[in-house]
Amino acid sequence: MSRRKRTRTIRSAAQSLTITENAMAETNIKYGLIAEFDTTADTLHAAAMVRDAGYRRWDVFTPFPVHGMDEAMGLPRSKVGWFTFFAGLTGFTLGMLMIWWMNAYDYPIVVGGKPLFSPIFSFPVAYECTILLGAFGSLFGMLFLNRLPKLYNPLFRSVRFARVTHDKFFIVVEATDPRFSDIDTRKLLERAGSKHIEEVRD
Amino acid sequence: MAEQLVRSVPVIPHTPAELERQPLILNQRPFGWLSDHIAGVAEGKTPRWWWIAFVPSFVIMVVCLSCVTYLISTGVGVWGLMIPVGWAWDITNFVFWIGIGHAGTLISAILFLLRQRWRTSINRAAEAMTIFAVICAGLFPLIHIGRVWLGWWLLPLPNANSIWPQFRSPLLWDVFAVSTYFTVSLLFWYMGLIPDLATMRDRATTKIRQFLYGLFALGWTGSNRHWSNYEKAYLLLAGLSTPLVLSVHSIVSFDFAVSQVPGWHTTIFPPYFVAGAIFSGFGMVLSLMIPLRSWAHLEEIVTIRHIELMCKVVMATGSIVGYAYAMEFFIAWYSGNPYELYAFKNRAFGPYAWAYWIMVGCNVISPQIFWWKWARTNPWFVFIISIFVNIGMWFERFVIIVTSLHRDYMPSNWGYFKPTWVDIWTFIGTFGLFMTLFLLFARFLPVIAISEVKGVTPQADPHHPLGGAKPHHH
């Protein structure tokens, strides 16, 4: 497939429409400014500049996680671990309680003179339950923190943005940021080295 | 004086060519080339090699399903099982397939924790292999119980007898281990796919592809705030899968080791089973990746270096398995237990000696060829050895199960197990099921983790000149 053909296709599954540049101008809510970069080093330096300028509602978009970008953006540590930990703890507790309740309380069965309940023979199953719920906690914790699934995104209206999953890097500053200004923000992104800046409307 | 000044300047020698490490992706391919090349396998017109592989696989899968239907409608008597050999090909096949899955998790989780960046070229296909192998594995315990419609009694669900599963049995631990393994492998695989599904969505040219890839990509944009949580979740899933994969085959080995059958009741089983599982799984990864890289033209991404590294894992785990065989024999003699010693003598020199020596030949001797570099770097030669590994590991489980059972404590029970045609075709049929699923995966999803492969190229590193880093001026 040719690259031109691909960039012409619009990314959203929710609205699989081909929108021309003219149609974009007709919508009227300003979403923000989107600046394109070619290399990881350029993007990393630009991100540090946007961070130092004190913006809050902005983000960097890359085809793969770039090493050092969290520090360049000034992001705090991810909180996914708490979801994993509490889900895993729940799994272990529920596993042990289930085995005790089923085999020692609700319907006790004597097998080979073994105790009705023991944490030793219960361990393998409770251990698997820990991992099972911990894995669900990690995936769904990540999706919850990222507010995904979100099938519609104003950025999908930008034709050039479709290359973010291919080979380009973007910095987006949202218009709702208190420091956002059409002129100053654009100047900052230009100074940061972007060769292409456009406005995204929703 | 001048001479001393010259000597104080450190001389940095140029790295000789033979010591230069091979790059993970050959020819410094750019990001766009990687997505075009990998996603291209799942796009456009279906290539001829795919149909040539798919049609026979599908037919063999139908044979498998027919055999299973015949078994369920008639009864387990259509198999060659006869007391005392109550477990034979069914459980052999179960352990064989579940073991194959283990390499996928080793590659995706353990090599990730060990920072082995070469895993990115093979982890996607290996994880898919895990999931499909566990599907094939899960089939056998389910159909060998005889009354398949009562299979749900294995789950902790209320039933009309008001009785619960018996949690002191290792067989029940296995139900939990295998179902957890399948679920967690699927979650891990799907999570890794999300960024690549977004790539597929952004490249899609038809509405149906846009809709389906878009739906499963969940609206992924590559936001760094998202990547931050994503990478943490990925690390945690790897951290959870590592003890999981070690526990699954340990628990499978408990099915045997917790019993009192001579030849099964040994403490070496958990580590020995895990090593064997990784060994057989890498054998299967090689059997799948060598044709795939050649037919789908992925030689620059799955390089000779990757194949060589996998061969080293095969050689290492094959040697561990060989050590375990020797140690089992030693302990059988050293324990002074006549039943245990008889079980092992009977394995090596009894009526199933042919199976034992196939096992030793394929698992212990054949991978030793990988001490030679030419053997590790010659893909089709490696392919042949990987087939030997698969055969050997199937025979290992056959030897453990059938030779230990066919001569029990009462000589009047002794017999010789022979499979029926239903045994044979059900097993061959699972290869059809496995290959059908794998080929569908290769046709519709990216067979290599695109975003992860991009991340290990030099141009992804912001401190590398190819990543755009400027030389420092002091």
Side-chain angles (χ1 to χ4, degrees), chain A residues 129-165:
Chain A
C129 293
T130 312
I131 290 175
L132 181 68
L133 267 71
F136 274 106
S138 310
L139 177 66
F140 288 100
M142 182 275 285
L143 292 177
F144 170 75
L145 291 171
N146 289 346
R147 302 296 185 271
L148 292 173
K150 181 186 171 189
L151 294 184
Y152 174 76
N153 193 317
L155 293 171
F156 293 160
R157 288 178 174 272
S158 161
V159 172
R160 294 177 78 105
F161 187 73
R163 283 180 70 175
V164 72
T165 57

mmCIF file of all heavy atoms in Angstrom, chain A residues 129-165:
data_model
loop_
_atom_site.group_PDB
_atom_site.id
_atom_site.type_symbol
_atom_site.label_atom_id
_atom_site.label_comp_id
_atom_site.label_asym_id
_atom_site.label_seq_id
_atom_site.Cartn_x
_atom_site.Cartn_y
_atom_site.Cartn_z
ATOM 1 N N CYS A 129 -4.697 -18.316 41.890
ATOM 2 C CA CYS A 129 -5.718 -17.260 41.974
ATOM 3 C C CYS A 129 -5.072 -15.893 42.151
ATOM 4 O O CYS A 129 -5.550 -14.887 41.612
ATOM 5 C CB CYS A 129 -6.680 -17.520 43.139
ATOM 6 S SG CYS A 129 -7.693 -18.979 42.906
ATOM 7 N N THR A 130 -3.957 -15.844 42.900
ATOM 8 C CA THR A 130 -3.227 -14.578 43.096
ATOM 9 C C THR A 130 -2.766 -14.042 41.747
ATOM 10 O O THR A 130 -2.953 -12.870 41.422
ATOM 11 C CB THR A 130 -1.980 -14.827 43.969
ATOM 12 O OG1 THR A 130 -2.357 -15.583 45.106
ATOM 13 C CG2 THR A 130 -1.317 -13.539 44.381
ATOM 14 N N ILE A 131 -2.162 -14.943 40.955
ATOM 15 C CA ILE A 131 -1.612 -14.518 39.673
ATOM 16 C C ILE A 131 -2.731 -14.154 38.704
ATOM 17 O O ILE A 131 -2.652 -13.147 37.995
ATOM 18 C CB ILE A 131 -0.692 -15.624 39.112
ATOM 19 C CG1 ILE A 131 0.564 -15.681 39.981
ATOM 20 C CG2 ILE A 131 -0.346 -15.380 37.659
ATOM 21 C CD1 ILE A 131 1.507 -16.785 39.656
ATOM 22 N N LEU A 132 -3.807 -14.926 38.724
ATOM 23 C CA LEU A 132 -4.921 -14.666 37.804
ATOM 24 C C LEU A 132 -5.507 -13.277 38.065
ATOM 25 O O LEU A 132 -5.634 -12.460 37.149
ATOM 26 C CB LEU A 132 -5.999 -15.740 37.980
ATOM 27 C CG LEU A 132 -7.201 -15.616 37.063
ATOM 28 C CD1 LEU A 132 -6.797 -15.883 35.619
ATOM 29 C CD2 LEU A 132 -8.296 -16.581 37.465
ATOM 30 N N LEU A 133 -5.841 -12.994 39.325
ATOM 31 C CA LEU A 133 -6.449 -11.698 39.608
ATOM 32 C C LEU A 133 -5.425 -10.566 39.478
ATOM 33 O O LEU A 133 -5.776 -9.466 39.048
ATOM 34 C CB LEU A 133 -7.116 -11.697 40.998
ATOM 35 C CG LEU A 133 -8.602 -12.064 40.920
ATOM 36 C CD1 LEU A 133 -8.817 -13.509 40.582
ATOM 37 C CD2 LEU A 133 -9.314 -11.723 42.220
ATOM 38 N N GLY A 134 -4.164 -10.850 39.831
ATOM 39 C CA GLY A 134 -3.122 -9.830 39.655
ATOM 40 C C GLY A 134 -2.967 -9.437 38.200
ATOM 41 O O GLY A 134 -2.788 -8.251 37.878
ATOM 42 N N ALA A 135 -3.064 -10.419 37.288
ATOM 43 C CA ALA A 135 -2.934 -10.118 35.853
ATOM 44 C C ALA A 135 -4.117 -9.284 35.381
ATOM 45 O O ALA A 135 -3.941 -8.305 34.642
ATOM 46 C CB ALA A 135 -2.840 -11.413 35.052
ATOM 47 N N PHE A 136 -5.328 -9.653 35.822
ATOM 48 C CA PHE A 136 -6.486 -8.834 35.454
ATOM 49 C C PHE A 136 -6.327 -7.422 36.018
ATOM 50 O O PHE A 136 -6.640 -6.442 35.336
ATOM 51 C CB PHE A 136 -7.785 -9.472 35.964
ATOM 52 C CG PHE A 136 -8.361 -10.485 35.027
ATOM 53 C CD1 PHE A 136 -8.272 -11.844 35.301
ATOM 54 C CD2 PHE A 136 -8.967 -10.082 33.847
ATOM 55 C CE1 PHE A 136 -8.797 -12.786 34.418
ATOM 56 C CE2 PHE A 136 -9.489 -11.015 32.963
ATOM 57 C CZ PHE A 136 -9.406 -12.372 33.246
ATOM 58 N N GLY A 137 -5.826 -7.329 37.266
ATOM 59 C CA GLY A 137 -5.622 -6.017 37.881
ATOM 60 C C GLY A 137 -4.652 -5.170 37.083
ATOM 61 O O GLY A 137 -4.857 -3.965 36.909
ATOM 62 N N SER A 138 -3.573 -5.792 36.562
ATOM 63 C CA SER A 138 -2.572 -5.027 35.807
ATOM 64 C C SER A 138 -3.173 -4.495 34.514
ATOM 65 O O SER A 138 -3.026 -3.315 34.189
ATOM 66 C CB SER A 138 -1.370 -5.907 35.448
ATOM 67 O OG SER A 138 -0.907 -6.572 36.575
ATOM 68 N N LEU A 139 -3.839 -5.373 33.756
ATOM 69 C CA LEU A 139 -4.365 -4.952 32.450
ATOM 70 C C LEU A 139 -5.482 -3.923 32.635
ATOM 71 O O LEU A 139 -5.462 -2.852 32.035
ATOM 72 C CB LEU A 139 -4.861 -6.160 31.653
ATOM 73 C CG LEU A 139 -5.485 -5.816 30.298
ATOM 74 C CD1 LEU A 139 -4.450 -5.235 29.349
ATOM 75 C CD2 LEU A 139 -6.111 -7.037 29.646
ATOM 76 N N PHE A 140 -6.455 -4.257 33.490
ATOM 77 C CA PHE A 140 -7.591 -3.342 33.629
ATOM 78 C C PHE A 140 -7.202 -2.091 34.412
ATOM 79 O O PHE A 140 -7.767 -1.025 34.172
ATOM 80 C CB PHE A 140 -8.800 -4.073 34.218
ATOM 81 C CG PHE A 140 -9.422 -5.013 33.233
ATOM 82 C CD1 PHE A 140 -9.162 -6.372 33.278
ATOM 83 C CD2 PHE A 140 -10.209 -4.526 32.197
ATOM 84 C CE1 PHE A 140 -9.699 -7.242 32.336
ATOM 85 C CE2 PHE A 140 -10.750 -5.386 31.243
ATOM 86 C CZ PHE A 140 -10.495 -6.746 31.318
ATOM 87 N N GLY A 141 -6.233 -2.192 35.315
ATOM 88 C CA GLY A 141 -5.717 -1.000 35.988
ATOM 89 C C GLY A 141 -5.083 -0.059 34.985
ATOM 90 O O GLY A 141 -5.302 1.155 35.018
ATOM 91 N N MET A 142 -4.298 -0.626 34.053
ATOM 92 C CA MET A 142 -3.668 0.189 33.011
ATOM 93 C C MET A 142 -4.743 0.851 32.151
ATOM 94 O O MET A 142 -4.691 2.057 31.896
ATOM 95 C CB MET A 142 -2.757 -0.706 32.170
ATOM 96 C CG MET A 142 -1.990 -0.021 31.061
ATOM 97 S SD MET A 142 -2.900 0.154 29.516
ATOM 98 C CE MET A 142 -2.838 -1.510 28.875
ATOM 99 N N LEU A 143 -5.745 0.077 31.743
ATOM 100 C CA LEU A 143 -6.793 0.645 30.887
ATOM 101 C C LEU A 143 -7.571 1.722 31.644
ATOM 102 O O LEU A 143 -7.894 2.769 31.091
ATOM 103 C CB LEU A 143 -7.743 -0.456 30.403
ATOM 104 C CG LEU A 143 -7.142 -1.466 29.430
ATOM 105 C CD1 LEU A 143 -8.156 -2.552 29.082
ATOM 106 C CD2 LEU A 143 -6.659 -0.786 28.155
ATOM 107 N N PHE A 144 -7.835 1.501 32.931
ATOM 108 C CA PHE A 144 -8.576 2.490 33.716
ATOM 109 C C PHE A 144 -7.765 3.777 33.850
ATOM 110 O O PHE A 144 -8.278 4.874 33.615
ATOM 111 C CB PHE A 144 -8.915 1.910 35.090
ATOM 112 C CG PHE A 144 -9.469 2.932 36.037
ATOM 113 C CD1 PHE A 144 -10.773 3.387 35.888
ATOM 114 C CD2 PHE A 144 -8.679 3.461 37.049
ATOM 115 C CE1 PHE A 144 -11.281 4.358 36.740
ATOM 116 C CE2 PHE A 144 -9.188 4.427 37.905
ATOM 117 C CZ PHE A 144 -10.492 4.877 37.756
ATOM 118 N N LEU A 145 -6.485 3.653 34.182
ATOM 119 C CA LEU A 145 -5.659 4.853 34.357
ATOM 120 C C LEU A 145 -5.515 5.620 33.040
ATOM 121 O O LEU A 145 -5.381 6.845 33.047
ATOM 122 C CB LEU A 145 -4.281 4.476 34.895
ATOM 123 C CG LEU A 145 -4.250 3.973 36.335
ATOM 124 C CD1 LEU A 145 -2.869 3.434 36.673
ATOM 125 C CD2 LEU A 145 -4.625 5.086 37.312
ATOM 126 N N ASN A 146 -5.538 4.905 31.925
ATOM 127 C CA ASN A 146 -5.414 5.554 30.612
ATOM 128 C C ASN A 146 -6.756 5.964 30.046
ATOM 129 O O ASN A 146 -6.809 6.479 28.934
ATOM 130 C CB ASN A 146 -4.706 4.614 29.625
ATOM 131 C CG ASN A 146 -3.246 4.455 29.947
ATOM 132 O OD1 ASN A 146 -2.688 5.218 30.727
ATOM 133 N ND2 ASN A 146 -2.611 3.468 29.339
ATOM 134 N N ARG A 147 -7.828 5.698 30.768
ATOM 135 C CA ARG A 147 -9.188 6.004 30.303
ATOM 136 C C ARG A 147 -9.426 5.402 28.914
ATOM 137 O O ARG A 147 -9.886 6.057 27.995
ATOM 138 C CB ARG A 147 -9.444 7.518 30.272
ATOM 139 C CG ARG A 147 -9.254 8.221 31.614
ATOM 140 C CD ARG A 147 -10.257 7.751 32.656
ATOM 141 N NE ARG A 147 -10.124 8.527 33.897
ATOM 142 C CZ ARG A 147 -9.306 8.211 34.914
ATOM 143 N NH1 ARG A 147 -8.536 7.125 34.836
ATOM 144 N NH2 ARG A 147 -9.265 8.944 36.010
ATOM 145 N N LEU A 148 -9.051 4.133 28.770
ATOM 146 C CA LEU A 148 -9.303 3.401 27.534
ATOM 147 C C LEU A 148 -10.319 2.309 27.858
ATOM 148 O O LEU A 148 -10.380 1.865 28.992
ATOM 149 C CB LEU A 148 -8.013 2.780 27.000
ATOM 150 C CG LEU A 148 -6.942 3.738 26.477
ATOM 151 C CD1 LEU A 148 -5.678 2.968 26.150
ATOM 152 C CD2 LEU A 148 -7.408 4.519 25.277
ATOM 153 N N PRO A 149 -11.130 1.824 26.924
ATOM 154 C CA PRO A 149 -11.188 2.230 25.518
ATOM 155 C C PRO A 149 -11.818 3.614 25.323
ATOM 156 O O PRO A 149 -12.746 3.985 26.039
ATOM 157 C CB PRO A 149 -12.062 1.153 24.870
ATOM 158 C CG PRO A 149 -12.679 0.372 25.954
ATOM 159 C CD PRO A 149 -12.033 0.718 27.233
ATOM 160 N N LYS A 150 -11.288 4.334 24.346
ATOM 161 C CA LYS A 150 -11.818 5.638 23.954
ATOM 162 C C LYS A 150 -11.709 5.674 22.431
ATOM 163 O O LYS A 150 -10.664 6.025 21.897
ATOM 164 C CB LYS A 150 -10.983 6.736 24.606
ATOM 165 C CG LYS A 150 -11.460 8.129 24.298
ATOM 166 C CD LYS A 150 -10.483 9.139 24.874
ATOM 167 C CE LYS A 150 -10.819 10.529 24.380
ATOM 168 N NZ LYS A 150 -9.778 11.478 24.732
ATOM 169 N N LEU A 151 -12.770 5.248 21.780
ATOM 170 C CA LEU A 151 -12.669 5.031 20.333
ATOM 171 C C LEU A 151 -12.691 6.334 19.549
ATOM 172 O O LEU A 151 -12.258 6.374 18.408
ATOM 173 C CB LEU A 151 -13.787 4.099 19.854
ATOM 174 C CG LEU A 151 -13.704 2.668 20.398
ATOM 175 C CD1 LEU A 151 -14.785 1.798 19.791
ATOM 176 C CD2 LEU A 151 -12.343 2.036 20.149
ATOM 177 N N TYR A 152 -13.194 7.428 20.156
ATOM 178 C CA TYR A 152 -13.171 8.701 19.447
ATOM 179 C C TYR A 152 -12.136 9.604 20.099
ATOM 180 O O TYR A 152 -12.071 9.700 21.317
ATOM 181 C CB TYR A 152 -14.543 9.381 19.486
ATOM 182 C CG TYR A 152 -14.471 10.757 18.876
ATOM 183 C CD1 TYR A 152 -14.408 10.906 17.499
ATOM 184 C CD2 TYR A 152 -14.395 11.893 19.675
ATOM 185 C CE1 TYR A 152 -14.282 12.153 16.928
ATOM 186 C CE2 TYR A 152 -14.272 13.145 19.112
ATOM 187 C CZ TYR A 152 -14.213 13.270 17.737
ATOM 188 O OH TYR A 152 -14.075 14.505 17.175
ATOM 189 N N ASN A 153 -11.333 10.251 19.278
ATOM 190 C CA ASN A 153 -10.336 11.169 19.794
ATOM 191 C C ASN A 153 -10.190 12.286 18.771
ATOM 192 O O ASN A 153 -10.045 12.009 17.584
ATOM 193 C CB ASN A 153 -9.008 10.423 19.966
ATOM 194 C CG ASN A 153 -8.015 11.210 20.791
ATOM 195 O OD1 ASN A 153 -7.863 12.420 20.612
ATOM 196 N ND2 ASN A 153 -7.335 10.531 21.692
ATOM 197 N N PRO A 154 -10.258 13.576 19.196
ATOM 198 C CA PRO A 154 -10.161 14.680 18.223
ATOM 199 C C PRO A 154 -8.874 14.600 17.385
ATOM 200 O O PRO A 154 -8.868 15.047 16.241
ATOM 201 C CB PRO A 154 -10.160 15.934 19.085
ATOM 202 C CG PRO A 154 -10.662 15.528 20.410
ATOM 203 C CD PRO A 154 -10.435 14.072 20.569
ATOM 204 N N LEU A 155 -7.821 13.994 17.946
ATOM 205 C CA LEU A 155 -6.555 13.924 17.211
ATOM 206 C C LEU A 155 -6.692 13.075 15.955
ATOM 207 O O LEU A 155 -5.938 13.242 15.001
ATOM 208 C CB LEU A 155 -5.460 13.338 18.105
ATOM 209 C CG LEU A 155 -5.050 14.212 19.278
ATOM 210 C CD1 LEU A 155 -4.134 13.438 20.197
ATOM 211 C CD2 LEU A 155 -4.353 15.463 18.781
ATOM 212 N N PHE A 156 -7.659 12.137 15.963
ATOM 213 C CA PHE A 156 -7.854 11.286 14.788
ATOM 214 C C PHE A 156 -8.285 12.110 13.572
ATOM 215 O O PHE A 156 -8.271 11.629 12.454
ATOM 216 C CB PHE A 156 -8.901 10.203 15.067
ATOM 217 C CG PHE A 156 -8.468 9.185 16.086
ATOM 218 C CD1 PHE A 156 -9.415 8.410 16.742
ATOM 219 C CD2 PHE A 156 -7.134 8.992 16.389
ATOM 220 C CE1 PHE A 156 -9.043 7.459 17.683
ATOM 221 C CE2 PHE A 156 -6.748 8.045 17.325
ATOM 222 C CZ PHE A 156 -7.695 7.280 17.976
ATOM 223 N N ARG A 157 -8.694 13.373 13.817
ATOM 224 C CA ARG A 157 -9.095 14.230 12.697
ATOM 225 C C ARG A 157 -7.884 14.755 11.924
ATOM 226 O O ARG A 157 -8.020 15.206 10.802
ATOM 227 C CB ARG A 157 -9.921 15.415 13.208
ATOM 228 C CG ARG A 157 -11.304 14.992 13.652
ATOM 229 C CD ARG A 157 -12.060 16.186 14.198
ATOM 230 N NE ARG A 157 -13.436 15.826 14.490
ATOM 231 C CZ ARG A 157 -14.407 15.899 13.603
ATOM 232 N NH1 ARG A 157 -14.172 16.306 12.385
ATOM 233 N NH2 ARG A 157 -15.628 15.545 13.941
ATOM 234 N N SER A 158 -6.717 14.746 12.552
ATOM 235 C CA SER A 158 -5.523 15.210 11.853
ATOM 236 C C SER A 158 -5.004 14.107 10.945
ATOM 237 O O SER A 158 -4.748 12.994 11.395
ATOM 238 C CB SER A 158 -4.453 15.615 12.859
ATOM 239 O OG SER A 158 -3.196 15.646 12.214
ATOM 240 N N VAL A 159 -4.842 14.428 9.666
ATOM 241 C CA VAL A 159 -4.394 13.421 8.714
ATOM 242 C C VAL A 159 -2.949 13.013 9.008
ATOM 243 O O VAL A 159 -2.601 11.841 8.992
ATOM 244 C CB VAL A 159 -4.542 13.962 7.279
ATOM 245 C CG1 VAL A 159 -3.910 13.003 6.282
ATOM 246 C CG2 VAL A 159 -6.002 14.177 6.946
ATOM 247 N N ARG A 160 -2.112 13.997 9.324
ATOM 248 C CA ARG A 160 -0.703 13.685 9.568
ATOM 249 C C ARG A 160 -0.513 12.855 10.834
ATOM 250 O O ARG A 160 0.451 12.102 10.951
ATOM 251 C CB ARG A 160 0.106 14.979 9.673
ATOM 252 C CG ARG A 160 0.160 15.734 8.369
ATOM 253 C CD ARG A 160 0.909 17.028 8.553
ATOM 254 N NE ARG A 160 2.352 16.828 8.581
ATOM 255 C CZ ARG A 160 3.162 17.140 7.576
ATOM 256 N NH1 ARG A 160 2.667 17.640 6.466
ATOM 257 N NH2 ARG A 160 4.454 16.964 7.685
ATOM 258 N N PHE A 161 -1.438 13.003 11.791
ATOM 259 C CA PHE A 161 -1.290 12.294 13.059
ATOM 260 C C PHE A 161 -1.370 10.778 12.880
ATOM 261 O O PHE A 161 -0.885 10.016 13.731
ATOM 262 C CB PHE A 161 -2.362 12.775 14.045
ATOM 263 C CG PHE A 161 -2.198 12.219 15.441
ATOM 264 C CD1 PHE A 161 -1.181 12.668 16.262
ATOM 265 C CD2 PHE A 161 -3.059 11.241 15.928
ATOM 266 C CE1 PHE A 161 -1.017 12.157 17.537
ATOM 267 C CE2 PHE A 161 -2.901 10.720 17.208
ATOM 268 C CZ PHE A 161 -1.877 11.189 18.011
ATOM 269 N N ALA A 162 -1.964 10.321 11.747
ATOM 270 C CA ALA A 162 -2.061 8.874 11.501
ATOM 271 C C ALA A 162 -0.678 8.227 11.476
ATOM 272 O O ALA A 162 -0.544 7.020 11.687
ATOM 273 C CB ALA A 162 -2.781 8.603 10.188
ATOM 274 N N ARG A 163 0.381 9.033 11.252
ATOM 275 C CA ARG A 163 1.720 8.432 11.196
ATOM 276 C C ARG A 163 2.351 8.259 12.573
ATOM 277 O O ARG A 163 3.502 7.827 12.668
ATOM 278 C CB ARG A 163 2.612 9.260 10.281
ATOM 279 C CG ARG A 163 2.267 8.965 8.820
ATOM 280 C CD ARG A 163 3.088 9.732 7.865
ATOM 281 N NE ARG A 163 4.484 9.291 7.846
ATOM 282 C CZ ARG A 163 5.377 9.775 6.983
ATOM 283 N NH1 ARG A 163 5.020 10.690 6.109
ATOM 284 N NH2 ARG A 163 6.615 9.353 7.023
ATOM 285 N N VAL A 164 1.586 8.572 13.630
ATOM 286 C CA VAL A 164 2.144 8.383 14.977
ATOM 287 C C VAL A 164 2.347 6.904 15.278
ATOM 288 O O VAL A 164 3.201 6.536 16.091
ATOM 289 C CB VAL A 164 1.255 9.043 16.052
ATOM 290 C CG1 VAL A 164 -0.033 8.270 16.259
ATOM 291 C CG2 VAL A 164 2.011 9.201 17.349
ATOM 292 N N THR A 165 1.593 6.027 14.637
ATOM 293 C CA THR A 165 1.812 4.595 14.856
ATOM 294 C C THR A 165 2.758 4.034 13.808
ATOM 295 O O THR A 165 2.952 2.826 13.724
ATOM 296 C CB THR A 165 0.480 3.814 14.797
ATOM 297 O OG1 THR A 165 -0.129 4.075 13.535
ATOM 298 C CG2 THR A 165 -0.446 4.212 15.918
#
